[in-house]
Amino acid sequence: MEHWTIATAAEQSPDFRRVLWTGEHTQLVIMTIPPGGEIGEEVHEDTDQILTFVSGTGKAIVSGQQRNVAQGDLVVVPAGRKHNFINTGENPLILYTVYGPPDHAEGAVHATKEEADALEESGQDEPPTE
């Protein structure tokens, strides 16, 4: 059994992205988006994503629709939908997300968005294939 006090784990992580757990069908990831930062516009063709916001304030953009997000909000991004999440506040925007199927390398830790983008572009952030 894996167990986390997920809001606490997310708030204690200084990293842009940290994979906490990877299973055959899903993956649990915590993220910290700095003030003025964003995840970056992207599409996961074959992966659904559910994001739950722990603290901070931001803007969710999914398929051109925009909503403000804050602590306690949850946003579902179905596979194939263009999306971005932007920190609009003065404090970090902290969240946890579940991907189904996994979208990142098992155990991946990306300190910054720049590091995450570089590893994705170089093919070093690929989900497990088995």
Side-chain angles (χ1 to χ4, degrees):
M1 174 195 308
E2 299 287 339
H3 176 268
W4 293 272
T5 304
I6 193 65
T8 302
E11 287 180 323
Q12 290 176 347
S13 176
D15 300 307
F16 174 73
R17 180 184 299 129
R18 177 179 291 269
V19 175
L20 291 182
W21 180 82
T22 302
E24 183 178 347
H25 303 287
T26 58
Q27 184 172 63
L28 175 62
V29 176
I30 53 179
M31 297 187 73
T32 300
I33 304 168
E38 62 183 271
I39 288 176
E41 190 173 86
E42 59 186 1
V43 175
H44 305 294
E45 291 298 338
D46 301 314
T47 303
D48 294 323
Q49 187 174 7
I50 299 170
L51 302 94
T52 304
F53 297 86
V54 174
S55 65
T57 57
K59 180 169 49 171
I61 306 168
V62 180
S63 297
Q65 294 184 1
Q66 297 185 25
R67 298 279 191 279
N68 292 328
V69 293
Q71 180 180 1
D73 288 344
L74 182 144
V75 175
V76 174
V77 180
R81 302 285 180 93
K82 186 184 297 186
H83 59 280
N84 192 7
F85 296 88
I86 302 167
N87 183 340
T88 59
E90 297 178 7
N91 297 308
L93 179 60
I94 299 173
L95 63 104
Y96 61 93
T97 183
V98 176
Y99 293 95
D103 194 61
H104 297 285
E106 187 170 357
V109 176
H110 306 139
T112 65
K113 178 177 177 3
E114 293 75 22
E115 179 183 357
D117 289 346
L119 290 169
E120 286 179 19
E121 289 173 18
S122 70
Q124 296 179 50
D125 184 35
E126 296 298 317
T129 56
E130 294 182 11

